[in-house]
Amino acid sequence: MVGGSSTRSLQPAAAGVDTTDLHFWLQWRVAVCALWVLCCVVAAAYLIWRHEGPGAHRRLDGTGSDGKERRRRRPDGVLYDDEAWRPCLRDIHPAWLLAYRLGSFIALFSLLIVIVISDGGSIFYYYTQWTFILVTIYFGLATAMSIYGCSKFVNWNAIAAATDTELGPYAVHGAVAKPTVDEEDDGTRNIAGFWGYLLQIIYQLLIGMHSVNAVFLLGEASLNSMRFPWFRIAYFFLWTALYVVFQWIVHASTPIWWPYPFLHLSANLAPLWYFAVAFMQLPCYVIFRLLMNLKHSLLSKHFPDSSSNRVASSDEQPCHFTPPVLH
């Protein structure tokens, strides 16, 4: 199973410590572990404030020639509307990405129902099942975004065809402009809305996936055109911190078993375990980021005229995709 076998066989025996006792939460080990979690949350909040969204460049150095260059270049935190539904190659119709996302959502949602029926609702006490729900939500939202994108794509083509018919021999065929390398933000592209940014954030929360989740995620990553800016590891930190705080609240409310031994706050090495778990998130992110860079490099090398992101790094600028304009 995605999160393991039957939950009854995975439940460890409850430790002889009453986690509902106030004295348990006043131990120095708890304070140090809480400090690690707080540091992760503060660092994540700073990264998001510093880099997220189209207005983030105003919070960076905007003086002198360097500031002008920053304003011309696309900020790291910007997501354009079409990037949420456009495939990585412009010659691939968006309907193919829609088909993959829809099929993945149906498969994952069906598997989730089977797991709940067979093992019960207590499976969601595990972090792996939290992430499984998240990846299911991602493909549901991604499917909706692809449906939206396909409708826009069809409308653009219809307008282009009507323009060609109206102008006759004077028409510029292929009115839907093909992407070109966009090293600067010229202000002509539409910025993604709330749902587009939510899709991007969840996408980068899923870097710690494994088993069945990883198969679907790697397929998605190979097909879509979304960027992978480094600073959004902040959301990964927040997601993990949220799970840890959830476990603490549950254990403060009722004496119950810990789903993972390294979460147990009574162990003398608990602070070291918490620090190690926080640090181990970095290799997952680095590996996935390297895979994304490899993807862009291969696309640029083998499909130089069709790649929707003709750059070797996921931090560099994407292609320009402009809808037809009628005069």
Side-chain angles (χ1 to χ4, degrees):
M1 281 295 182
V2 176
S5 58
S6 174
T7 54
R8 295 181 179 83
S9 64
L10 287 175
Q11 293 178 358
V17 178
D18 184 8
T19 56
T20 61
D21 188 351
L22 179 61
H23 291 88
F24 174 84
W25 298 99
L26 297 179
Q27 300 178 79
W28 68 269
R29 290 182 293 270
V30 177
V32 174
C33 292
L35 180 62
W36 294 142
V37 174
L38 180 62
C39 288
C40 287
V41 171
V42 171
Y46 175 77
L47 287 174
I48 293 171
W49 172 82
R50 183 78 169 175
H51 297 281
E52 186 63 273
H57 68 285
R58 291 192 292 269
R59 297 189 286 269
L60 300 173
D61 180 18
T63 61
S65 59
D66 182 67
K68 294 180 180 179
E69 178 65 19
R70 285 186 183 274
R71 284 191 293 271
R72 285 198 301 267
R73 292 183 64 84
R74 168 182 177 171
D76 289 342
V78 167
L79 176 72
Y80 291 123
D81 182 70
D82 62 291
E83 290 177 323
W85 51 265
R86 177 166 47 84
C88 58
L89 296 177
R90 70 173 185 236
D91 292 334
I92 299 178
H93 195 285
W96 288 105
L97 182 57
L98 167 60
Y100 178 82
R101 288 173 166 179
L102 178 60
S104 298
F105 173 70
I106 293 174
L108 290 168
F109 187 69
S110 301
L111 183 57
L112 180 61
I113 293 175
V114 171
I115 294 174
V116 172
I117 293 176
S118 62
D119 292 339
S122 61
I123 61 171
F124 301 119
Y125 196 51
Y126 292 90
Y127 183 80
T128 50
Q129 297 298 347
W130 276 43
T131 55
F132 185 62
I133 293 175
L134 191 64
V135 73
T136 305
I137 293 174
Y138 170 81
F139 277 106
L141 178 58
T143 299
M145 293 300 298
S146 284
I147 293 174
Y148 158 78
C150 285
S151 65
K152 290 191 68 172
F153 188 80
V154 170
N155 290 338
W156 289 351
N157 283 337
I159 294 174
T163 304
D164 286 350
T165 301
E166 179 181 348
L167 297 180
Y170 299 100
V172 178
H173 295 284
V176 178
K178 291 189 175 182
T180 58
V181 178
D182 185 17
E183 293 294 343
E184 296 185 352
D185 180 8
D186 60 5
T188 62
R189 301 177 71 182
N190 293 326
I191 302 296
F194 170 79
W195 296 111
Y197 272 99
L198 180 61
L199 183 72
Q200 172 77 67
I201 290 169
I202 297 177
Y203 174 60
Q204 294 197 217
L205 277 175
L206 302 178
I207 57 176
M209 296 293 97
H210 60 89
S211 186
V212 175
N213 303 351
V215 174
F216 286 101
L217 179 61
L218 288 175
E220 166 71 14
S222 65
L223 289 174
N224 69 34
S225 62
M226 288 195 293
R227 301 164 74 236
F228 203 80
W230 65 272
F231 75 88
R232 287 201 177 105
I233 192 176
Y235 294 104
F236 191 38
F237 287 148
L238 291 178
W239 176 254
T240 304
L242 177 63
Y243 177 78
V244 171
V245 172
F246 165 77
Q247 287 292 334
W248 289 353
I249 293 174
V250 170
H251 282 81
S253 304
T254 180
I256 194 174
W257 44 271
W258 294 88
Y260 303 103
F262 55 80
L263 287 177
H264 205 307
L265 292 167
S266 296
N268 290 329
L269 296 179
L272 182 60
W273 274 114
Y274 273 71
F275 178 79
V277 170
F279 182 78
M280 284 190 297
Q281 297 180 77
L282 295 176
C284 296
Y285 193 89
V286 170
I287 291 172
F288 199 88
R289 181 175 169 81
L290 289 175
L291 289 175
M292 293 300 97
N293 288 347
L294 177 62
K295 165 195 167 182
H296 297 317
S297 177
L298 292 175
L299 289 178
S300 299
K301 178 179 179 180
H302 297 288
F303 303 95
D305 297 325
S306 183
S307 174
S308 293
N309 196 338
R310 298 174 58 190
V311 292
S313 169
S314 56
D315 270 342
E316 295 180 21
Q317 310 309 315
C319 311
H320 194 133
F321 191 90
T322 308
V325 179
L326 295 180
H327 297 285

